[in-house]
Amino acid sequence: MGARSKPAYGAMSLSEMKEFASFPAATQRYIRRSLDVGLDRRDAMECWSRDVVEAASIRAQIRIYARLDHVRNLVPDDSGLDAVEPFLAPLVTMTAFDLGQDRLSGFGAYRFLYERLIGGGVRPWLPGAFCAAAALPHLHPEKRRIFLQSISEAAATAPGWSNREPCFFPQWVEKVEHRLAN
């Protein structure tokens, strides 16, 4: 493959970093925490738990995200309806959990998180899973309205989706104290 035909990973990473930076701080924190839980990157309880409520939320998220390997293995290659039920049911359940945590700011943040949790091949299925979960009665009607209005017409009606894998996976960075030498 020639140098001109290779994707511009640097430009894609920068674009993904800018998208992540556009999310509210609470959404960024939740995405990093969720990636730690879903990708088993570190001890999420130790890193993210600030109180008993958050600890309980992380324990619940660990239980819900236990389905991720199953979902990753079942991402349909096409729109064949026979493959949808075993894949979409757990995806909607996980989505409903995440939306119910009240940390994702809308479809963009949800898409950003789930592309990284599951992979680029999940993109065609995210609008449907998001709309299904956002319409469930466990959410307050006002929250349902906000979520459903956050998905653009272009995202909901796209004629096709890229299957390229994401480049940027945000992580927690420990604060390092910088001392100037005298």
Side-chain angles (χ1 to χ4, degrees):
M1 183 186 277
R4 290 214 178 267
S5 61
K6 289 184 181 177
Y9 290 112
M12 287 187 296
S13 292
L14 185 58
S15 174
E16 292 173 10
M17 286 179 203
K18 287 179 180 179
E19 181 181 15
F20 181 72
S22 74
F23 302 140
T27 299
Q28 291 179 18
R29 185 177 194 281
Y30 188 77
I31 288 171
R32 288 191 312 264
R33 177 188 115 176
S34 298
L35 291 173
D36 282 352
V37 170
L39 302 178
D40 200 26
R41 296 193 305 196
R42 71 176 82 222
D43 183 353
M45 290 295 286
E46 181 180 316
C47 183
W48 299 105
S49 178
R50 297 179 287 196
D51 56 33
V52 293
V53 173
E54 195 160 31
S57 172
I58 292 168
R59 280 192 295 278
Q61 188 174 32
I62 290 168
R63 281 191 312 275
I64 293 290
Y65 278 20
R67 306 163 191 210
L68 271 170
D69 286 336
H70 174 74
V71 170
R72 286 182 194 118
N73 292 327
L74 292 177
V75 176
D77 290 333
D78 58 25
S79 60
L81 294 177
D82 55 330
V84 172
E85 184 179 350
F87 165 73
L88 204 53
L91 179 59
V92 169
T93 301
M94 288 187 304
T95 300
F97 172 83
D98 283 328
L99 296 183
Q101 295 298 294
D102 203 25
R103 295 289 185 266
L104 295 177
S105 53
F107 179 73
Y110 163 76
R111 180 195 44 75
F112 186 93
L113 172 60
Y114 275 73
E115 286 175 354
R116 283 146 188 81
L117 285 174
I118 299 172
V122 77
R123 281 187 191 98
W125 304 99
L126 294 179
F130 179 82
C131 289
L136 291 174
H138 77 295
L139 296 173
H140 186 276
E142 179 62 19
K143 201 64 180 166
R144 289 196 307 258
R145 183 183 66 75
I146 290 168
F147 280 137
L148 291 170
Q149 287 179 343
S150 75
I151 187 167
S152 69
E153 182 179 341
T157 62
W161 293 267
S162 165
N163 62 355
R164 109 177 141 70
E165 295 300 324
C167 300
F168 173 64
F169 288 76
Q171 295 188 37
W172 174 258
V173 178
E174 295 294 331
K175 186 175 182 178
V176 177
E177 195 172 311
H178 181 68
R179 295 189 178 136
L180 295 174
N182 290 332

